[in-house]
Each structure stands twice: as C-alpha cells, then as structure tokens.
Amino acid sequence: MAQSVGIKDVARAAGVSVGTVSNVINRPDSVATETRARVLSAIDRLGYVRSESARQLRAGRSRIMGLLVLDMGNPFFVDVARGAERAAREAGLGVMVCNSAQSPGEEAEYLSLFAEQRVRGVLLTPADATGRNIETFRRHNIPFVLVDRVAEGTTECSVSVDDVAGGALAVRHLVDLGHRSIAYVSGPPGFNQVRDRRTGALNALAEAGLGPEALRELPTERLDVAAGRDAGARLLGLADRPTAVFCANDLLALGVLQAMYAAGISVPDDLAIVGYDDIEFAAAAAVPLTSVRQPAVTMGALAAELLLEETEDNNGGKGGRGHQHRRVVLQPELVVRRSSLAAR
C-alpha cells in the first residue's frame, strides 16, 4: 500500500521549513510569491492532502456540520440538504449528510458518530418520538438545531413550518370544492408533523360546521410511495368511500394516485387528492398533484445559519454577542393543480 504524503515530505521537496508549508496552506499571503509557487508545485507533484483531523486537533473545532434527516429518498429532504449545504459552504464548512430512514435505532447510531467526530454542530429531523436520542446526544455539548420540527419543551433552536395551518389549507380547499367526507393518509402517528397536519384538517372541518367523523384516518407505518399504495388499496376497500384524500406528504399522495390509476378510479372526478411538501415530482405526476408547499431550501439554509451563529458565539466570534435560541416558524402555501379540481 502506498505511503501517505505528509507535510514534512512537501517541505523537503520544496526545500523549505514545515512552518513555511503550513503558512502556504493556511496564510498564503504571508509567504513570498516565489516560495509559495515552489511549495504549491511540490504539493501538486506529491499529491499531498492535508489531514483535516490533525487540523481540527490543532484548531480545537471542526469544519464539518452534521445533517441527519428522516428519508433521503424524499426530495423534500434533498432540498433541505441543498439549503443547508449552501449556507455551510458560504461559511467555509462542509456538511456530513446522514439518513435515519425513519428508524430511531439508526438515528442513535448516527448521532453517536457525530459525537465521535466532534462535528461543529448538527441539523436534526428527529425519528425518535420519545426524545431519548436527543437527550443522550445533548450530553456531548454539541449544538444542534431541529429542522421540520418545533423545539417543544427544549431550549434549542428550530426551523419548521406551521403544519396546523398547512393541514387547514389542504382540507379547507377540499371542503370549498364540496367534499364532505375526506380521508387522511397520515403516516406514523408518533411524528409531530403528522399530528399537526391532522389537527389543521379537523380545524378546517370545524370551520365548515363538520364534525371529526368527516375525516377518515388511514395511518401508515412509513411516509413513502409504497405506504401510499397500501393506503390506497385500503381506501378502495371502504364500503362508504370518501370523495377526497389528504395525504401527510407527497410521496404518500403519489402512492395513492398509483393505486387509483391501477383500479381505474378517475382522479379527480371520482377522488380528489391533495399532498404535502410540493416536491418536484408533484407537478410532474400523471395527474399534477395539488400540494401544500413547504419552503424546504429556505428551512435548510435558516437552520444552518442558526447553527453557525450559535457555534461562532460559543467560540468567541460575532463580537461576543450572546446567541439567543429561536424557534423560526415559516408559513405554508397551497399550490392547486388538477388532482383536486373536478367540478362537484
């Protein structure tokens, strides 16, 4: 196996001291042009790559931010990652993106990995509804910001969307179109987002003078297309089938749409469908999907900025200003497309 090239090898090849090589890497303006060119030539010729772990030990802080999301198969979280990566890059940091796959066990393993790597901080969409993983991670004194989740009962920062308002937008739209019996394909009940969207749906029904019995809940174990297809099959089996469906996210809605298409059920004439997130595939579906839009890229960027603000303050930056934990709640927007627009 080839031996790795170290900073001493570069210094020897360039005929300079180790300190000069370090200056070229970290403070290039402090080195004479001719010397700097000679060192850079040696670095290129030898293929030297500096050790980030060694640099971190010397500096006492990491240049890596952790991001742990529920499902990287969901384009919503891809957009969250894009926003976070953009903000981190502007600050000279990298992002380590990990996927809990909606599993509390995998979430715990990744949080342990972040602690071992002593990352600068973590952006986290929790999979563990009990909060035990967060409590364990908090002992490491690594700052974190909750994403797509309100920091209830904690002092940490969070960036989320008003999911109660989002659920109300979706169901109010269906009620205005004349629907009086609506199914809610909800996802795992332990997720706050799922519960809040259901609360918003019930609020919209109450505004219209309809009771909670007008909402038929179809829970699923996961928030993906396969779970949506399964919910669609159950929906088809109902004796008194609702005329509209509100889904807790777009992947569920796309699964329901597939199930209806396979069964010959016309969307929206026989069944109206509304999703949540407004991922890119929503507009590109065979029947373009009405959806509640979340500003995912903005959420990721804001969360990263809050984390950077906190970590800079903890390390004496920002002129010594005290970081104030904040809960940022963004507003959703209903995007109406053909999946809900049958005349009733």
Side-chain angles (χ1 to χ4, degrees):
M1 181 167 49
Q3 186 174 1
S4 61
V5 176
I7 193 170
K8 291 181 180 178
D9 300 310
V10 174
R12 189 180 305 112
V16 298
S17 69
V18 170
T20 298
V21 177
S22 178
N23 284 336
V24 169
I25 295 171
N26 297 299
R27 296 178 295 278
D29 292 341
S30 67
V31 182
T33 303
E34 182 181 346
T35 303
R36 185 167 69 242
R38 194 162 71 248
V39 171
L40 291 174
S41 176
I43 287 174
D44 183 60
R45 187 168 67 254
L46 297 175
Y48 167 75
V49 178
R50 73 174 180 177
S51 170
E52 175 59 24
S53 59
R55 189 215 63 80
Q56 181 178 329
L57 284 172
R58 291 192 300 271
R61 62 194 313 215
S62 172
R63 293 175 59 247
I64 299 298
M65 177 188 300
L67 171 62
L68 182 55
V69 299
L70 287 176
D71 182 9
M72 281 305 293
N74 186 339
F76 167 76
F77 289 111
V78 175
D79 286 342
V80 169
R82 283 174 49 215
E85 190 273 337
R86 183 183 304 164
R89 188 174 65 246
E90 290 176 356
L93 303 184
V95 179
M96 181 191 298
V97 181
C98 298
N99 175 29
S100 71
Q102 305 178 40
S103 164
E106 292 192 35
E107 175 182 82
E109 291 176 6
Y110 279 123
L111 289 175
S112 178
L113 175 64
F114 289 152
E116 291 171 5
Q117 296 296 319
R118 302 304 300 176
V119 296
R120 177 79 65 94
V122 174
L123 307 178
L124 170 64
T125 303
D128 178 21
T130 69
R132 283 192 291 266
N133 286 343
I134 289 179
E135 284 303 315
T136 299
F137 184 70
R138 190 178 277 116
R139 299 171 192 165
H140 298 290
N141 294 318
I142 296 175
F144 64 90
V145 174
L146 299 180
V147 185
D148 193 33
R149 168 83 175 269
V150 177
E152 297 173 345
T154 72
T155 58
E156 280 76 26
C157 291
S158 65
V159 181
S160 62
V161 165
D162 188 340
D163 285 315
V164 174
L169 282 174
V171 172
R172 190 178 297 122
H173 168 67
L174 292 171
V175 168
D176 288 345
L177 290 172
H179 297 282
R180 295 296 180 265
S181 178
I182 300 169
Y184 177 44
V185 179
S186 59
F191 289 165
N192 286 13
Q193 300 93 320
V194 167
R195 295 198 299 269
D196 287 348
R197 291 165 197 178
R198 179 180 183 273
T199 297
L202 292 173
N203 289 347
L205 291 173
E207 290 172 6
L210 299 171
E213 68 279 358
L215 192 72
R216 302 276 296 276
E217 186 166 0
L218 297 173
T220 63
E221 293 184 358
R222 298 181 62 81
L223 290 160
D224 55 24
V225 174
R229 285 195 297 267
D230 175 72
R234 283 183 280 150
L235 180 66
L236 290 168
L238 294 178
D240 185 17
R241 192 169 68 220
T243 60
V245 181
F246 167 45
C247 298
N249 76 2
D250 284 342
L251 296 184
L252 291 171
L254 292 172
V256 171
L257 180 60
Q258 289 179 7
M260 296 305 109
Y261 180 81
I265 302 298
S266 175
V267 175
D269 297 309
D270 298 325
L271 184 77
I273 301 176
V274 176
Y276 205 104
D277 290 338
D278 195 34
I279 62 176
E280 183 177 357
F281 299 133
V287 180
L289 187 66
T290 294
S291 184
V292 178
R293 175 178 294 165
Q294 297 198 84
V297 174
T298 299
M299 289 174 67
L302 285 175
E305 289 167 6
L306 286 174
L307 188 61
L308 288 166
E309 178 184 299
E310 179 173 0
T311 57
E312 285 298 320
D313 184 73
N314 287 346
N315 284 274
K318 302 276 186 176
R321 295 184 309 179
H323 171 75
Q324 297 294 320
H325 288 302
R326 299 198 299 278
R327 297 180 183 179
V328 178
V329 180
L330 304 173
Q331 291 304 307
E333 173 190 359
L334 181 69
V335 180
V336 178
R337 300 190 181 95
R338 193 155 57 89
S339 71
S340 63
L341 284 181
R344 301 194 66 82

